[in-house]
Amino acid sequence: MNHQLVIVLDFGGQYNQLIARRVRECGVYCEVKPYTTPIAELKAMDPIGFIFTGGPNSVYEDAAPHVDPAIFELGIPVLGICYGCQLMAHTLGGQVTAAQEDTAREYGKTRTYYDTGCKIFQGLPAEGTSWMSHGDYMAMVPAGFALTAHSDNCPNVAIADASRGFYGVQFHPEVNHTENGTRMIRNFLFEVCGATGDWTMGNYCKSTVARLREEIGPRGRVLLALSGGVDSSVLAALLAEAIGDRLTCVFVDHGLMRKHEGDEVESAFSKWKVRFVRVNAEERFLSKLAGVEDPQEKRHIIGAEFGYVFRDEAEQFGITDQDFLAQGTIYPDVIESGKGDADVIKSHHNRLLPPEVVARFKGVLEPLDLLFKDEVRALGRELGLPEYLVMRQPFPGPGLAIRIIGAVTKEKADTLREADAIYREEIAKTGEDKNLSQYFAVLTNSRSVGVMGDGRTYDYTLALRAVTTSDFMTADWARIPYEVLDKISVRLVNEVKGINRIVYDITSKPPATIEWE
């Protein structure tokens, strides 16, 4: 892509993907790369700047992640955040030590004082709140660096070597808790790196369509794994723009969709000028899941079986090994499935294709795999998709299988389908759906005693979940009015057989994930 590029070097911090989002919000394209990426590869990408992320380590430890010192000889600006700041100081001749109990160790919101003559703080108030999370201290800053911010407890909250374009901050400007944090990042991008802000969704759309046409070729065909959700729908529009009627969309109804959802997807896509195929595979998937309780195993089974269905459909439609399989994988899917040294939070089904399925195609296309959810929605609007489709709530590929805790059965799926439909119906009636990013019901594996009609019951507990979020990387639990929750609860226990208790999940992400499994 012909865009200016900023590289975010990942040292294992919890906010690393948020840094990337903030950069893109400023109209500058960026990618996250592991700190182990060879310097030659980084240089070949021709970045206009580097951002070193935070991380859990101490730079003076033997096993701490380090960067090739040659990166500081490239003449490219660097912004170090928290661990990244300490790493820069340590590498360039400074001294980083463990903070003493009464000095320099800071966590949480901290009053901070800025030198507004420093480029990254110019135009900002001289005082503000920053979000700190560090137990180490720069006891000595490298030669050539000036102190550009301090707090009541720490004299060197920020450092700068303006002549070389090197800047470091002990706090996290990428989080909302830091006042004017995004403006600090913007200042680094535009005032230090010389960014022009050429990253727009319109440009991304045009360059991606051109790249797809080149990669697929003039006669190549694509079989798209279509779920009917936002990501795969946007990808369908993108591929239709690139190759027209050489696209085949395969929608696999695995019997784990929401109520009437399969019919709704088929109705929506029957109006598109693409080949749409619906595969009814409920029995096939439920038989594979019989008796399986572990959520990771469920995801692996479903991911593999999706792949086998696509392989079978490719045979039916004459898709050859010179044609492609496409998936609506997005950046959070890649991150949560484990990237580089990162933990596997949960394996997304579209990252679990069996090798023999992948080998069946010339390649697997995932052109959305560097986009966050809100960027995918913006791309959908750029492609002219209707708003109801662009703003459709996410629904996981494994469907209700990961909203049923424990073993999956058709009876449990039917129960959850009815409960989820009631929940969604009541939320929509009150208009609360406009305030929520995602909401759904979970059939737990917990049973409890209840009383109905003067008789004892021993039925399932249903959990309700609702969150607000902008990027689905972090999320806050939604404050649904009590009277709305009360009405939902009454309907559920009266209308859905097998449920006698309702609970509401008030856990944010992190520490939880949005889905339960």
Side-chain angles (χ1 to χ4, degrees), residues 273-289:
K273 293 181 180 180
V274 295
R275 177 188 288 171
F276 174 87
V277 180
R278 178 175 178 176
V279 180
N280 294 308
E282 178 181 55
E283 185 176 346
R284 178 171 179 169
F285 277 82
L286 290 180
S287 65
K288 293 286 184 180
L289 290 167

Side-chain angles (χ1 to χ4, degrees), residues 147-194:
L147 300 180
T148 57
H150 68 279
S151 66
D152 293 331
N153 202 40
C154 182
N156 45 19
V157 165
I159 58 174
D161 182 342
S163 64
R164 291 189 287 177
F166 297 159
Y167 295 82
V169 295
Q170 286 280 171
F171 56 87
H172 289 272
E174 70 274 22
V175 302
N176 288 331
H177 299 304
T178 295
E179 293 176 342
N180 299 304
T182 299
R183 292 176 65 186
M184 296 173 192
I185 293 174
R186 170 177 278 275
N187 278 345
F188 173 71
L189 298 172
F190 287 84
E191 303 301 328
V192 179
C193 299

